[in-house]
Amino acid sequence: QKQAYGIPEDLQASNPRTLQMVWGPGTFGYSKSQLSAFKEEQCPLLNIDKVVFDTENHGQAGGDNYGEGNLDVSMIASFGLNITTLVSNTNTSMSTEEGNGFGEAMLDFITALANRDTLPQVLSLSLGSLSAYSCDLLCDQAVKKGHERSDCEAFMQEQRQVCMYLSQDQVGRINTALQVLGVRGVSVFGSSGD
């Protein structure tokens, strides 16, 4: 995988203060045994001792976000060899995994992270959703077709990981908090459509 990006497979960090972090809510976490198997099969230079939980929430095996967490942890730890990798799950509510509780959990996490004295140089965020704007647009169109807005919003919450933010204002506050992290030197990564 690193070859595709032109990264030498044996490139490792040498500064012990370098930090990277992955975050996700709900059942998000990782399996130490799966990470050990990944090291043995695909990434022998991965330093498992440098992968640590940042919170008391260590995820829940079998949960959807747990699988996502295993993938996220193995990817960031293999690309950032010998870097301390913080695995963070700050909210275990199921509403954060599939519903609009995700936006609040993300805002709380990003805001709290920006207030820390020590920040990671890289932050990878897990999970995704349609933007609040897109959700509003869908319900605007449903209203034009004769449906009640409240029915549309309720329907959207029944769909898995579709509309996970309360409002466009909430997304604006999340964006501002992400900008604060950027000003403080944190590079934030997330996959479009994740």
Side-chain angles (χ1 to χ4, degrees):
Q1 295 165 340
K2 292 170 103 174
Q3 287 178 336
Y5 295 99
I7 301 170
E9 289 187 20
D10 61 348
L11 180 64
Q12 297 184 46
S14 58
N15 184 338
R17 293 181 299 168
T18 303
L19 294 173
Q20 57 191 8
M21 176 183 269
V22 292
W23 173 83
T27 61
F28 187 85
Y30 79 100
S31 162
K32 291 181 181 183
S33 63
Q34 283 188 23
L35 189 61
S36 294
F38 174 77
K39 172 188 168 93
E40 186 175 313
E41 296 168 11
Q42 298 184 40
C43 191
L45 296 177
L46 193 147
N47 186 345
I48 291 176
D49 294 334
K50 290 217 164 204
V51 179
V52 297
F53 285 101
D54 181 57
T55 60
E56 292 180 15
N57 305 326
H58 294 183
Q60 181 180 350
D64 181 61
N65 285 3
Y66 194 77
E68 180 95 15
N70 277 299
L71 175 62
D72 292 355
V73 170
S74 63
M75 290 303 294
I76 197 168
S78 64
F79 273 84
L81 290 173
N82 207 37
I83 295 174
T84 299
T85 301
L86 305 174
V87 181
S88 187
N89 176 344
T90 54
N91 190 320
T92 59
S93 168
M94 287 310 294
S95 72
T96 66
E97 192 147 337
E98 298 188 2
N100 61 15
F102 176 80
E104 182 177 350
M106 184 176 183
L107 179 59
D108 289 346
F109 166 71
I110 297 292
T111 304
L113 181 62
N115 286 308
R116 291 187 186 184
D117 292 333
T118 303
L119 295 173
Q121 284 76 30
V122 173
L123 171 62
S124 174
L125 300 171
S126 186
L127 292 180
S129 167
L130 290 177
S131 69
Y133 174 82
S134 295
C135 294
D136 286 348
L137 183 61
L138 286 168
C139 285
D140 288 345
Q141 295 303 312
V143 168
K144 287 180 183 177
K145 299 283 184 183
H147 300 281
E148 294 293 325
R149 175 169 289 279
S150 60
D151 291 341
C152 176
E153 290 170 350
F155 175 78
M156 293 303 216
Q157 286 306 299
E158 293 173 5
Q159 309 311 302
R160 189 170 185 284
Q161 296 182 350
V162 173
C163 293
M164 298 176 71
Y165 302 97
L166 291 175
S167 66
Q168 292 181 53
D169 287 340
Q170 183 184 56
V171 171
R173 293 191 344 256
I174 290 169
N175 289 338
T176 299
L178 289 168
Q179 291 170 14
V180 170
L181 288 175
V183 168
R184 294 207 48 213
V186 179
S187 296
V188 180
F189 293 89
S191 297
S192 178
D194 183 9

